[in-house]
Each structure stands twice: as structure tokens, then as C-alpha cells.
């Protein structure tokens, strides 16, 4: 104690004065945690802080866990507010650092905003990770909370480290806006680290709000944008201006946007957005919902990794429920997705659209495909569902290099896997599932003409990819333009479970140019329980080697002990555009698989029949066609005794299976036909199998394939 007293005596009086000055102006010295309440301006008035100045600007020193907390009822309570006249400001904490800005209740209420860091033309750099909380409690539409606000071409905010950013306007009386980041007049915000952000408000929530300027995240960006009931619009990211607003994320982007009152958009982009990593977006609300809305015809949205988008909404207030809208009509608006894509749109009280495109949309990956679902669920109202709706004539283009898996369902409206007025190219696998439900009308692929050009869809042009279609294929046309569909099915897993038809618009039926090729194990499985009519328009049909027209598949699989109810049907393949004409090619090895009733158990001998009508301009055959039978009721009468060697059960009269008599000028003929062996089990002993072979031949004029009976052989 004597030593301490001696030391103090030696320090006084000069040292005592210095110590007093130190304590007054350097409250962060030592390990104490300090909360500052003065706004940092970068000027000489910042007397509460430890500062130093060098050639790089003005530095503010903070200990670990220090904070700035500014609360008042002015129009702009800001923790940091640096203008153009101030030097560059450096916030240099030694550890964790927090900024709080709160705008307290103003009476009478006037507009204003609470801002964490405001670069009002000035430049601010934070040297370490930071937490920023901005809050405005005033019950006014113009109350606003902003974490990072950069205004002016010289305005810059840089954070070197991770950032936790929270903005809330939380009055119960519909108070205003919440922004995690707002840029204006060319201001830029850059965060060199991961960002976790949460924006909440009762009114309009534009969480990342780029009016003009740039927001760059060199890391991951995880964002929640939530409209507290009763809320107005919610946008996770809203890039307002064309070619001048940039949002760049170097790693992964994860947005959850939720409205509890009006429209919700995960991303709303008129400018430029680039994400180098994966992207996940959820847009949930009671009304209009958009996952990504690239709304301007010159917008650019580039997502280089995998993408997952979920849009869920209700009543159509300002639009339908859309997974992606990419608007580039007559311009260069583009959207590129580099990895896989999963896009879902679910609407409870409006139309549901997975992708609405009038720009240039490209799925770049050659190994990762696209999965799209659209579901409109209202049980009584008439609403449509679209997996893809591509508009804009020649300007609306979609390219999917690794293929697509699309499903669309609705209760009472029309469901489209793809409705195309533009251009769609997909060289990869294709799966489209659009099945009827209640009063719904369904199209798997629908190619409609545009007002200015032909539309065109091309799938699996090079061949070798699985193509699985459940639903109708349709094309349309006008006096000038037509819808073109080119579809190749050439693998054993490939099939079309649907008919080929035209479309009706305003009571007028039209058909375009569908061109389909089946071969190498691919099958056509026509659905329906009556006469089935197909319209090839000015297109073509190729039934190649190894292909199969399977008339029995519609009823389900046939096997001993499990036989679905069935009824032989007639399918017509023709064209309502005989002048332009359609062409049909039936190659060597093409198979017609039918159900039959050669003994007339249901009143008369019958079988499925395929007729090629007079609208077909040309029909060419080559080699030998095949006939297979899926089932005949006579199989049930074959027991282990009657399944003897070489028993032929004859039809009362020959049954026509395939007829090309009406084609063109009647000159088309078949060369030869053979039956295909099948297997069944005796009705009294499942261990006894027998083979059956349709007995087929050509008519005298070689224009019909006829079934004379079935050969039964015990195995």
C-alpha cells in the first residue's frame, strides 16, 4: 500500500489530470463492455469514442462485446451516419460488436426511419463480424427500419466478417417498411462473410431493397422476410431498376418470404442478380405468390448452383401463384440456372404456374434436370394449372439440357404440363404427368401458335433419353402460324399415354404440326373407353422398329388371376388438314398390341382396331409388322386338358385389327404380318402354362391386318 500511495503521489498533479482525461474520452480502454449512445458521424463531434486518423480515414476502436445503441424519436435515429464531407470511417472492434438503432414513439406520429449504418454519401468499413438491430415502433405507414442504408454514388458500406441483421417495424397499427439493406442513387453494400438476416413488419416488407446500387455478399445469405399480420406486400429481394441494381451472392442463397395479408415474392428482380452457389426460395402467402419474379424484359437472373423454389398462395389479387416468372418479351431478359431445379407452385384459390416465361430461360446443366409441379386445389372454382407456360413468340425461349420432370393438376379447370407459344428445346429425358381429375381438361404438351411466329417444342432430338408422357398432346394453328411439336420416343422405358389432337379457341378447332417417332421399345398407350381420334394436322407419325401401339395398357396389366375390366376400342389416326397432309411411316418390326374376344363372349367377335383415316396424305410401310394380344376371354376356358398341342381357336369371321384403306389415294399397302407369342396359365392348374399366338394375315388388297383366330400350345 505504501508503494501504491508513493506512485500516485509521483503521478500527481499532471498524471492525475491525464488519467481524468483518459477516463472521460477513452471509455473502451481495458476489458469493460461499453454501450455507446452517440451517433458516429466521422466528424470531430464524435467525442465519446476512441479515435485515430491516418491516410485511410478515421478509425473507431472498440473492445469485444461493445455496442452502439441509439434511441430517440427523431426522424432519423442512426447508430452510424456518415456524409460526403466526412473521411472514410473504420469501425475496429476487437471482438463481437453490436449496433442497435431504435426510433421511439413520436407524438404526433410523423414519418421517419431507424437506421443501423447510414452511408449518406460517405464510406464505412466494419473490421469484424457484427450484429445490427433496427427498430421503428411508430404506428405509421412511413415508419421504417433499415440495417444498412447506402445513398449516393460515393456511398459504401463494407463489413469484413459475418453479419447478423434484424429489422422490424412492430407497431400493431400497420406500421411501415423493413429493410435489411437499402441502396439508392448508386450506393453499394458489401459483406465479406455470411449473412443471417430477419426483416419483419406489419406493412410493406422489402427486405433487400435495391433502388439503384449494389449489394454484394461474399459468403452465404440466409434471409427471412415476414409480414406480421395484418401485413401488406413482402419481397425477400426487390431489385427495382434496370441495369443499375445488382445483388451478388458468392455462395448459397436461402430466402423464406411470408406474407400474412397480401402479395409475397421471394425475389423481385428488374436488375441483375447473381448467385454463385445454391439457391433456396420459399414464398408463402394468402394471395398472389411468386417464387422468383424477374419482371423486366432486360433483367438478368443467374443462379449457378442447384435451385429449389416453392410458391404457395391463395386468391389472385395481383397475379397467380408462380414458381418463376421470367419476363423478357421483345428484349434480352434472361434467367440462367446452372444446377438442378425443383420448382413448385400451389394455389388454393387461383391458377398455379410452375414457370411463366417470355424471356430467355436456360437450364445449363447436362447432368442435373428440372422438376416442376403446379397444383391448383380449389374444389369448386374453375382454375388452371401450368407446369410451364412459355409466351412471347420468338422471344420466349426455354432450353433444358438435362431434361424435365413436370406434373400439373387441377380440380375443375385445364391442366397443362407445357403450354407453349414460344420455343422450348430439351435434349434430355422428359417426364410429363397430367392426369384428369373431376371436371378437369388435361394436356401434357400443348403447342400453340403465337401472334407473330410459329411456336416450337423439340424433345430428345438426338435420341437415347427416356420420354414418359401421361396426358394428351395437342397443337394449334392460325391462318398464318402454327404450333410445332417434335417428340422422339426411342427407349424401352419411353411411352405416350395420351392421344394426339388439335385445340379449340373461342369455339374454333385448329391443329398444328405434331411430329412423333416411336422406336426401340417405346410404346403408345391410347387412353379412353370409346372411339379414340387422333389428329396429326400437317405433322407426321413414325412407328419404328421395336415400337408398340398398345391398346390394352389403358385398362391396366393383364396377368393370370388378375384381369382388369376392359372393352375393345377403335382408334382413328387421321388429319383435319388433308391439303397440307400428314404422313405416317410403319417400319419393319412395329407391333400392334390389342385385346380381343374372338369367340364373341360379349355378343360378337371383336378386337381393338386401329384405323388410319383419309386425312393422312401418305403412308409408307416396310418389312413385317407384328400383332400381339394382351388378353382374350377364351384364355379362361383353357384348362390343363384342353391346352393341347396346336389347337387353333377360330374367330367366326376375320376381325380387322389395322386398316389403311382410306389413306391418301388408297395405294398404301402392307408387305407382311406375323403374330407374337404370349404366355398364360391353365384355369385349373397354375403350374400348367400354355402359349398363345394370334393367327393373322393381310386382306386380299393388303390394306388390312386381320385376326383369324388364336393358336393354343401347351408348354
Amino acid at each position: 500500500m505504501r508503494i501504491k500511495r508513493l506512485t500516485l503521489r509521483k503521478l500527481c498533479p499532471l498524471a492525475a489530470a491525464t488519467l481524468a482525461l483518459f477516463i472521460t474520452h477513452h471509455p473502451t480502454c481495458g476489458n469493460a463492455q461499453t454501450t455507446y449512445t452517440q451517433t458516429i458521424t466521422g466528424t470531430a463531434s464524435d467525442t465519446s469514442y476512441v479515435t485515430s486518423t491516418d491516410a485511410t480515414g478515421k478509425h473507431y476502436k472498440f473492445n469485444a462485446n461493445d455496442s452502439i445503441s441509439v434511441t430517440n424519436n427523431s426522424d432519423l435515429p442512426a447508430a452510424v451516419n456518415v456524409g460526403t464531407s466526412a473521411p472514410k470511417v473504420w469501425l475496429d472492434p476487437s471482438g463481437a460488436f453490436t449496433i442497435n438503432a431504435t426510433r421511439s414513439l413520436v407524438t404526433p406520429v410523423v414519418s421517419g426511419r431507424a437506421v443501423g449504418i447510414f452511408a449518406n454519401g460517405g464510406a464505412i468499413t466494419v473490421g469484424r463480424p457484427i450484429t445490427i438491430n433496427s427498430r421503428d415502433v411508430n404506428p405509421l405507414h412511413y415508419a421504417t427500419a433499415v440495417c444498412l442504408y447506402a445513398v449516393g454514388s460515393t456511398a459504401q458500406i463494407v463489413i469484413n466478417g459475418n453479419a447478423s441483421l434484424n429489422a422490424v417495424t412492430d407497431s400493431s397499427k400497420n406500421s411501415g417498411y423493413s429493410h435489411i439493406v437499402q441502396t439508392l442513387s448508386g450506393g453499394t453494400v458489401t459483406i465479406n462473410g455470411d449473412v443471417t438476416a430477419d426483416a419483419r413488419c406489419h406493412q410493406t416488407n422489402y427486405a433487400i431493397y435495391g433502388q439503384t446500387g449494389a449489394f454484394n455478399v461474399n459468403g452465404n445469405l440466409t434471409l427471412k422476410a415476414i409480414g406480421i399480420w395484418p401485413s401488406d406486400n413482402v419481397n425477400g429481394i426487390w431489385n427495382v431498376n434496370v441495369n443499375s441494381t445488382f445483388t451478388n451472392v458468392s455462395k448459397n442463397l436461402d430466402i423464406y418470404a411470408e406474407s400474412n395479408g397480401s402479395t409475397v415474392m421471394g425475389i423481385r428482380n428488374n436488375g441483375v442478380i447473381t448467385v454463385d452457389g445454391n439457391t433456396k426460395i420459399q414464398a408463402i402467402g394468402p394471395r398472389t405468390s411468386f417464387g422468383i419474379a424477374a419482371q423486366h424484359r432486360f433483367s438478368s437472373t443467374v443462379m449457378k448452383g442447384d435451385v429449389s423454389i416453392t410458391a404457395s398462395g391463395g386468391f389472385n389479387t395481383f397475379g397467380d401463384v408462380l414458381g418463376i416468372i421470367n419476363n423478357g418479351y421483345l428484349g434480352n431478359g434472361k434467367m440462367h440456372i446452372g444446377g438442378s431445379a425443383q420448382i413448385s407452385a400451389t394455389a388454393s384459390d387461383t391458377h398455379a404456374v410452375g414457370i411463366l416465361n417470355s424471356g430467355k430461360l436456360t437450364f445449363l446443366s447436362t447432368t442435373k434436370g428440372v422438376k416442376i409441379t403446379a397444383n391448383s386445389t380449389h374444389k369448386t372454382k374453375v382454375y388452371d394449372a401450368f407446369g410451364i407456360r412459355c409466351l412471347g413468340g420468338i422471344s420466349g425461349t426455354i432450353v433444358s439440357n438435362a431434361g424435365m420432370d413436370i406434373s400439373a393438376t387441377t380440380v375443375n379447370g385445364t391442366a397443362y404440363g407445357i403450354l407453349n407459344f414460344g420455343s422450348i428445346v430439351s435434349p434430355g429425358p422428359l417426364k410429363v404427368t397430367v392426369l384428369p381429375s373431376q371436371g378437369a381438361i388435361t394436356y401434357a404438351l400443348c403447342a400453340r401458335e403465337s401472334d407473330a411466329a410459329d411456336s416450337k417444342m423439340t424433345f430428345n432430338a438426338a435420341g437415347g433419353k427416356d420420354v414418359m408422357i401421361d396426358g394428351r398432346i395437342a397443337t394449334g394453328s392460325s391462318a398464318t402460324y402454327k404450333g410445332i411439336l417434335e417428340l422422339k420416343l426411342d427407349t424401352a422405358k419411353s411411352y405416350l399415354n395420351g392421344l394426339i389432337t388439335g385445340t379449340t379457341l373461342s369455339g374454333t378447332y385448329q391443329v398444328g404440326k405434331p411430329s412423333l417417332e416411336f422406336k426401340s421399345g417405346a410404346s403408345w398407350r391410347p387412353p379412353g373407353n370409346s372411339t379414340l381420334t387422333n389428329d396429326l394436322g400437317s405433322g407426321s407419325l413414325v412407328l419404328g422398329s421395336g415400337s408398340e401401339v398398345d391398346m390394352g395398357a389403358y385398362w391396366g396389366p393383364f396377368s393370370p388371376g388378375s384381369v382388369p375390366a376392359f372393352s375393345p376400342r377403335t382408334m382413328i389416326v387421321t388429319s383435319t388438314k388433308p391439303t397440307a397432309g400428314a404422313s405416317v411411316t410403319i417400319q419393319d418390326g412395329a407391333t400392334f398390341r390389342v385385346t380381343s374376344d374372338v369367340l364373341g363372349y360379349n355378343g360378337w367377335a371383336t378386337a381393338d382396331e386401329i384405323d388410319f383415316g383419309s386425312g393422312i396424305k401418305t403412308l409408307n410401310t416396310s418389312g413385317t409388322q407384328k400383332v400381339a394380344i394382351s388378353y382374350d376371354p377364351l384364355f379362361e376356358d383353357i384348362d390343363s386338358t384342353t391346352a393341347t398341342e396346336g389347337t387353333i381357336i377360330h374367330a367366326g369371321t376375320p376381325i380387322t385389327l389395322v386398316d389403311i384403306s382410306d389413306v391418301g389415294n388408297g395405294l398404301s399397302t402392307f408387305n407382311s404380318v406375323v403374330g407374337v407369342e404370349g404366355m398364360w396359365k391353365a384355369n385349373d392348374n397354375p403350374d400348367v402354362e400354355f402359349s398363345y399366338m394370334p393367327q393373322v394375315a393381310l386382306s386380299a388388297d393388303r390394306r388390312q391386318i386381320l385376326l383369324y383366330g388364336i393358336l393354343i400350345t401347351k408348354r
Side-chain angles (χ1 to χ4, degrees):
M1 293 298 297
R2 293 180 62 188
I3 296 174
K4 291 182 179 179
R5 284 196 297 271
L6 177 62
T7 303
L8 287 172
R9 282 197 298 269
K10 288 186 175 181
L11 288 173
C12 294
L14 178 60
T18 304
L19 180 60
L21 181 63
F22 184 87
I23 293 172
T24 300
H25 296 282
H26 298 73
T28 63
C29 187
N31 296 319
Q33 299 176 19
T34 303
T35 298
Y36 296 86
T37 59
Q38 182 186 18
T39 298
I40 289 178
T41 63
T43 66
S45 64
D46 299 344
T47 57
S48 298
Y49 296 93
V50 177
T51 64
S52 62
T53 302
D54 60 19
T56 64
K58 189 168 185 176
H59 294 257
Y60 291 71
K61 180 178 175 60
F62 299 93
N63 285 329
N65 300 311
D66 280 356
S67 62
I68 304 173
S69 185
V70 174
T71 300
N72 59 57
N73 62 1
S74 70
D75 62 350
L76 184 62
V80 180
N81 185 346
V82 178
T84 55
S85 61
K88 182 174 183 179
V89 168
W90 298 78
L91 305 185
D92 298 328
S94 62
F97 185 51
T98 301
I99 285 178
N100 301 302
T102 302
R103 184 167 177 261
S104 55
L105 186 63
V106 182
T107 304
V109 176
V110 294
S111 62
R113 68 182 65 221
V115 182
I117 297 179
F118 183 17
N120 189 12
I124 303 107
T125 295
V126 181
R128 282 182 175 269
I130 190 172
T131 297
I132 300 177
N133 304 303
S134 295
R135 180 181 181 187
D136 192 329
V137 302
N138 285 274
L140 187 72
H141 180 73
Y142 297 104
T144 303
V146 188
C147 290
L148 303 171
Y149 187 24
V151 179
S153 60
T154 59
Q156 295 182 352
I157 299 173
V158 177
I159 297 174
N160 291 319
N162 298 338
S164 175
L165 308 175
N166 306 283
V168 59
T169 54
D170 59 353
S171 168
S172 61
K173 296 183 179 180
N174 291 354
S175 62
Y177 298 86
S178 287
H179 309 310
I180 295 298
V181 173
Q182 183 176 3
T183 60
L184 181 64
S185 301
T188 63
V189 175
T190 300
I191 300 177
N192 297 311
D194 295 338
V195 178
T196 302
D198 193 316
R200 298 170 186 256
C201 71
H202 282 277
Q203 191 64 31
T204 302
N205 187 343
Y206 299 152
I208 294 173
Y209 188 30
Q211 292 171 280
T212 54
F215 176 44
N216 306 298
V217 178
N218 294 312
N220 301 301
L221 172 56
T222 302
L223 170 65
K224 287 184 178 179
I226 296 177
I228 308 168
W229 172 262
S231 72
D232 198 349
N233 300 333
V234 174
N235 297 168
I237 296 175
W238 178 199
N239 274 0
V240 179
N241 288 303
V242 180
N243 294 326
S244 61
T245 302
F246 302 83
T247 301
N248 305 295
V249 180
S250 72
K251 292 185 179 179
N252 299 326
L253 172 64
D254 188 339
I255 297 176
Y256 177 84
E258 176 186 323
S259 171
N260 286 287
S262 191
T263 299
V264 60
M265 304 184 197
I267 292 177
R268 184 180 178 188
N269 181 39
N270 284 347
V272 178
I273 288 180
T274 302
V275 180
D276 291 340
N278 299 329
T279 299
K280 179 180 179 181
I281 297 173
Q282 299 175 80
I284 312 297
R287 296 183 181 178
T288 298
S289 175
F290 299 160
I292 298 178
Q295 296 178 305
H296 198 276
R297 62 193 181 100
F298 292 117
S299 65
S300 173
T301 308
V302 177
M303 297 174 174
K304 299 180 182 179
D306 299 337
V307 172
S308 173
I309 298 172
T310 301
S312 177
F315 184 72
N316 179 340
T317 307
F318 299 105
D320 301 320
V321 174
L322 305 173
I324 288 176
I325 174 173
N326 182 48
N327 179 20
Y329 184 66
L330 297 180
N332 296 311
K334 72 174 183 180
M335 183 177 294
H336 289 173
I337 295 176
S340 64
Q342 296 194 29
I343 302 162
S344 173
T346 302
S348 63
D349 199 5
T350 187
H351 308 296
V353 187
I355 294 175
L356 176 60
N357 177 67
S358 58
K360 294 175 173 58
L361 172 58
T362 304
F363 298 95
L364 296 167
S365 175
T366 58
T367 58
K368 296 181 177 181
V370 180
K371 183 175 178 62
I372 303 168
T373 60
N375 187 14
S376 185
T377 63
H378 202 284
K379 296 185 182 301
T380 58
K381 295 181 181 179
V382 177
Y383 289 124
D384 301 332
F386 306 82
I388 294 176
R389 190 176 183 188
C390 186
L391 308 176
I394 58 175
S395 69
T397 62
I398 297 176
V399 177
S400 177
N401 288 305
M404 297 186 286
D405 182 345
I406 302 170
S407 65
T409 58
T410 187
V411 179
N412 292 298
T414 303
Y416 298 87
I418 300 177
L419 174 59
N420 181 50
F421 296 85
S423 172
I424 298 177
V425 177
S426 180
L430 177 66
K431 182 178 181 181
V432 182
T433 306
V434 185
L435 299 177
S437 171
Q438 199 167 305
I441 303 168
T442 60
Y443 298 90
L445 304 173
C446 185
R448 289 291 309 275
E449 77 289 352
S450 77
D451 294 335
D454 293 344
S455 75
K456 188 174 183 179
M457 290 192 283
T458 303
F459 300 101
N460 190 33
K465 306 298 183 182
D466 294 334
V467 174
M468 295 174 281
I469 309 294
D470 286 288
R472 187 188 334 180
I473 288 177
T475 59
S477 64
S478 64
T480 308
Y481 303 111
K482 59 186 174 293
I484 300 171
L485 171 64
E486 298 175 346
L487 181 65
K488 179 179 288 187
L489 302 92
D490 65 343
T491 68
K493 292 182 179 180
S494 296
Y495 64 85
L496 167 61
N497 177 17
L499 301 180
I500 306 166
T501 71
T503 59
T504 300
L505 182 64
S506 300
T508 302
Y509 177 86
Q510 291 287 352
V511 65
K513 185 178 181 180
S515 298
L516 286 82
E517 180 180 2
F518 297 83
K519 67 177 184 179
S520 303
S523 62
W524 182 10
R525 308 167 185 175
N529 53 15
S530 59
T531 299
L532 315 174
T533 301
N534 298 274
D535 191 344
L536 298 181
S538 57
S540 63
L541 172 66
V542 176
L543 302 176
S545 177
S547 68
E548 185 172 86
V549 179
D550 188 347
M551 297 292 289
Y554 170 70
W555 309 108
F558 291 85
S559 61
S562 179
V563 176
F566 77 100
S567 176
R569 303 165 297 161
T570 297
M571 182 171 77
I572 299 170
V573 181
T574 188
S575 170
T576 57
K577 285 194 169 183
T579 302
S583 65
V584 174
T585 301
I586 306 175
Q587 297 177 348
D588 178 58
T591 298
F592 298 97
R593 179 175 291 276
V594 299
T595 60
S596 63
D597 182 3
V598 299
L599 294 181
Y601 285 90
N602 294 313
W604 61 89
T606 185
D608 291 314
E609 182 175 345
I610 300 100
D611 293 340
F612 292 88
S614 59
I616 305 300
K617 192 170 185 178
T618 60
L619 188 149
N620 297 304
T621 67
S622 61
T624 300
Q625 280 66 59
K626 300 178 180 180
V627 172
I629 292 178
S630 294
Y631 180 75
D632 191 295
L634 72 83
F635 296 165
E636 306 303 327
D637 289 343
I638 306 299
D639 58 28
S640 54
T641 301
T642 55
T644 56
E645 183 73 27
T647 299
I648 298 179
I649 300 175
H650 293 277
T653 58
I655 302 169
T656 301
L657 300 181
V658 184
D659 191 344
I660 60 174
S661 301
D662 293 334
V663 172
N665 55 11
L667 299 179
S668 298
T669 60
F670 291 106
N671 296 305
S672 63
V673 63
V674 297
V676 176
E677 184 180 60
M679 299 296 298
W680 207 259
K681 295 181 183 293
N683 62 14
D684 62 341
N685 187 347
D687 294 330
V688 175
E689 289 187 333
F690 62 89
S691 67
Y692 62 91
M693 177 82 75
Q695 302 299 287
V696 292
L698 299 178
S699 61
D701 62 4
R702 309 179 74 83
R703 296 173 188 167
Q704 296 174 324
I705 296 176
L706 306 175
L707 174 64
Y708 284 87
I710 300 176
L711 171 65
I712 304 297
T713 303
K714 186 175 181 180
R715 306 299 286 179

